[in-house]
Amino acid sequence: MEIIIVILVLVVLLILFGGAGYFFVRETGWDNARLWLTGPRQLRGIITPADDDTTRDAPTSAPERQQRPDPRPAQPGRMPLALDESALRSLREELQGELTRAAGITRDFDARLTRLEADLSTSLHLPEEIGRTVQDVEVRTRRRLTKLRSEVRTTRVVESSFGQRRSEALSDLYRKLAQVESTLAAVVNPMLLPGEPLNVPEELYDDTLEWSNWSDVGERAFSFGQVFNQSRFLLEPQLADQIERFIATFRQALTDTVYPVVQNEGRTKAQIAQMRHGLGTIIEALPPVRREIEAAYRVTSLASMGDDDDDDDDDFDA
């Protein structure tokens, strides 16, 4: 029973599709129907019953032929192709214009970038010169600040009671050392004027070999050592150590080379040469100690007067 129903449905469908195909072929003609079945989808919309030659050749009345417009001049099947070509041409022209304009903008950007790079390369020299100037000013400023800090510390020391006592100790030491030098010069080389550099002559004078003439030298050396021993804590360690070494050198030269020769009447040339060597050691060690005491006293005096170094000020202002 079910098979019979299915067969009936298929027969009905075949009748319907067959009838539809028959009416379509009758309206459009066999050629157009074949093109519709085998042609692309775009051409199917072009084929309409109005283009059928059979329909045009069918007998119609005169009023119908006059009222019905001729569809051929409009050519509805070719309009979409013409519109597409025109749109593509317009799009291509627009794209070419945009590319030309973009190329112009790119060239403009390149030119501006080149100018900026040129300006930057020329302006890089200025910061380098400014950097060197700033660095020089910074170095001078740091040097000046260091000097000012040192002056401030020195001024504080000088203005205190400790600084005043230190200045007095330096003055006493310098005076005692000057007495030692003048007394030694009177014995070793009495031909020199006061303040003239002391040296050992080629031949020692007779007064130099007299034991009695060396008592003043010993007393002056002892007095210098006593003042140093009392004021040593007021001096800087470096200066104190240098004075201590000078006193030791002075004593060893007197006791080891000078006194044994002047106390002996039967001295030999070798002993006299040894004495000359000892005197040269004393005379060689004396100027450095004198200059160190002068420098320490000068720093104290300048700090108390508030004096500045004009050269450093000019260098700083520059």
Side-chain angles (χ1 to χ4, degrees), residues 2-195:
E2 295 178 355
I3 297 175
I4 297 174
I5 295 174
V6 172
I7 293 173
L8 292 176
V9 171
L10 292 176
V11 171
V12 172
L13 290 175
L14 288 175
I15 295 172
L16 291 176
F17 282 109
Y22 170 75
F23 286 109
F24 178 78
V25 171
R26 192 185 64 178
E27 293 293 331
T28 60
W30 174 253
D31 294 333
N32 290 333
R34 185 180 59 185
L35 290 176
W36 186 85
L37 292 174
T38 59
R41 185 179 298 176
Q42 289 80 0
L43 296 177
R44 296 177 183 177
I46 301 174
I47 301 172
T48 58
D51 294 332
D52 187 19
D53 294 336
T54 306
T55 306
R56 288 197 298 268
D57 295 335
T60 55
S61 60
E64 290 178 354
R65 287 196 299 268
Q66 293 177 358
Q67 293 177 359
R68 188 161 113 189
D70 188 4
R72 285 178 295 180
Q75 296 181 352
R78 299 180 182 178
M79 287 299 294
L81 296 177
L83 292 176
D84 292 342
E85 293 178 359
S86 177
L88 289 175
R89 188 182 302 106
S90 176
L91 182 60
R92 183 171 57 254
E93 293 176 355
E94 183 179 358
L95 179 59
Q96 291 178 354
E98 292 294 332
L99 291 176
T100 304
R101 189 170 65 87
I105 294 175
T106 304
R107 287 194 297 270
D108 184 36
F109 284 160
D110 291 339
R112 292 170 61 184
L113 182 59
T114 303
R115 289 195 299 269
L116 290 176
E117 291 177 351
D119 295 340
L120 181 61
S121 61
T122 55
S123 63
L124 286 177
H125 300 288
L126 183 60
E128 184 177 358
E129 297 177 357
I130 293 177
R132 288 197 298 267
T133 303
V134 172
Q135 187 176 5
D136 295 340
V137 172
E138 182 179 1
V139 171
R140 292 196 297 269
T141 303
R142 290 182 180 277
R143 185 170 64 248
R144 179 59 178 167
L145 290 176
T146 303
K147 183 177 182 295
L148 289 177
R149 292 191 185 97
S150 178
E151 291 177 354
V152 169
R153 289 194 298 268
T154 305
T155 303
R156 288 178 180 176
V157 173
V158 170
E159 295 300 329
S160 63
S161 59
F162 177 83
Q164 295 176 0
R165 294 180 61 187
R166 180 175 183 273
S167 179
E168 294 175 359
L170 290 172
S171 178
D172 292 341
L173 282 173
Y174 189 83
R175 185 174 63 255
K176 294 296 181 180
L177 184 63
Q179 292 176 359
V180 171
E181 187 174 4
S182 62
T183 304
L184 184 64
V187 177
V188 175
N189 197 347
M191 299 301 295
L192 298 177
L193 294 175

Side-chain angles (χ1 to χ4, degrees), residues 267-284:
R267 47 187 171 265
T268 62
K269 292 183 178 180
Q271 291 176 338
I272 293 176
Q274 185 178 2
M275 179 179 175
R276 292 186 72 258
H277 177 73
L279 293 175
T281 303
I282 295 174
I283 294 172
E284 184 180 358

